[in-house]
Amino acid sequence: QVQMQESGPGLVKPSQTLSLTCTVSGGSISSGDSYWSWIRQPPGKGLEWIGYIYYSGHTYYNPSLKSRLTISVDTSKNQFSLKLTSVTAADTAVYYCAREQRGSGTLGYWGQGTLVTVSS
Amino acid sequence: EIVMTQSPATLSVSPGERATLSCRASQRIGINLAWYQQKPGQAPRLLIYGASTRATGIPARFSGSGSGTEFSLTISSLQSEDFAVYHCQQYNTRPPWTFGQGTKVEIK
């Protein structure tokens, strides 16, 4: 059973960089059968797909965030990470990492989520 | 980008009653649609994929239907644990995947 856990600062100042890491257990990030994804949810709002990474480093980003976004993978630690630059209050959200079975488009495993607040 | 629109925003239902939630896509997506359930303080949980296939462990009272641009999720007899927010998500062809804004099913 795959388990996923987000970690990172809960408070980021405007214009700075938001950095989060997702640690995967119960399965190998290098298995080749998954896309490792980030999704966010502003307080009281709907879900927004951020992007995903394959273990090889291939990425696909949401065009709305692409200019500020980097997703990377560290197979030796079974982790993948998100960096979002030049954040504003609009980036305040619960950030989830999730696993998409490659080719399925659906998110079958999720982390518990972590709230990141952008505020000075 | 494909826009997903869910209705209603809130659905008030009594336990044991039937609930039907709707999701509309801004363009045809075949059956590339999933439904998720989200309870307060929890991550979403995959319920339905391929518009009508239940994910592993999902009770039979949950059913999905539709194709093209119009989809629905039906809960045949609401149990106390079913009161939650339900999200639809399209995954047609290539990302970005997009979600509806959610429907909250509350106790009447």
Side-chain angles (χ1 to χ4, degrees):
Chain A
Q1 177 85 353
V2 170
Q3 293 187 310
M4 307 175 74
Q5 178 69 57
E6 306 87 352
S7 59
L11 181 63
V12 180
K13 289 182 167 50
S15 79
Q16 294 192 343
T17 297
L18 182 161
S19 297
L20 295 172
T21 295
C22 181
T23 301
V24 179
S25 58
S28 172
I29 210 166
S30 302
S31 65
D33 63 351
S34 303
Y35 291 135
W36 303 99
S37 307
W38 289 99
I39 300 94
R40 69 180 182 178
Q41 185 173 34
K45 295 188 178 181
L47 298 161
E48 180 180 26
W49 183 85
I50 296 172
Y52 66 50
I53 191 163
Y54 190 53
Y55 80 99
S56 63
H58 166 72
T59 55
Y60 208 116
Y61 296 158
N62 191 321
S64 68
L65 298 169
K66 188 174 183 178
S67 63
R68 301 191 290 131
L69 179 64
T70 302
I71 299 177
S72 58
V73 64
D74 186 336
T75 55
S76 68
K77 294 182 179 179
N78 227 34
Q79 295 176 334
F80 63 106
S81 298
L82 172 151
K83 289 189 188 298
L84 188 66
T85 62
S86 304
V87 296
T88 69
D91 296 309
T92 293
V94 175
Y95 285 76
Y96 296 99
C97 59
R99 172 185 173 256
E100 174 188 326
Q101 186 173 356
R102 187 181 176 201
S104 76
T106 57
L107 300 152
Y109 293 94
W110 295 66
Q112 66 185 28
T114 187
L115 174 62
V116 178
T117 302
V118 178
S119 175
S120 56
Chain B
E1 176 178 298
I2 298 174
V3 177
M4 306 302 292
T5 304
Q6 291 186 242
S7 61
T10 303
L11 188 60
S12 298
V13 186
S14 299
E17 289 189 341
R18 180 187 190 94
T20 300
L21 291 65
S22 296
C23 178
R24 174 179 291 179
S26 63
Q27 59 187 266
R28 296 183 66 83
I29 59 170
I31 58 168
N32 296 310
L33 184 104
W35 290 93
Y36 299 83
Q37 177 193 65
Q38 186 178 28
K39 296 180 180 179
Q42 296 185 17
R45 177 177 70 144
L46 178 65
L47 294 178
I48 301 279
Y49 62 93
S52 62
T53 302
R54 283 188 301 276
T56 302
I58 302 304
R61 64 180 181 273
F62 291 93
S63 63
S65 64
S67 65
T69 61
E70 301 285 342
F71 302 87
S72 63
L73 173 70
T74 299
I75 312 170
S76 60
S77 177
L78 272 157
Q79 306 299 302
S80 57
E81 62 268 29
D82 300 335
F83 292 96
V85 176
Y86 292 84
H87 306 272
C88 63
Q89 176 226 338
Q90 67 79 22
Y91 51 95
N92 190 54
T93 307
R94 66 176 61 86
W97 310 142
T98 50
F99 295 85
Q101 75 278 25
T103 290
K104 181 180 180 181
V105 178
E106 64 176 22
I107 300 174
K108 186 174 182 180

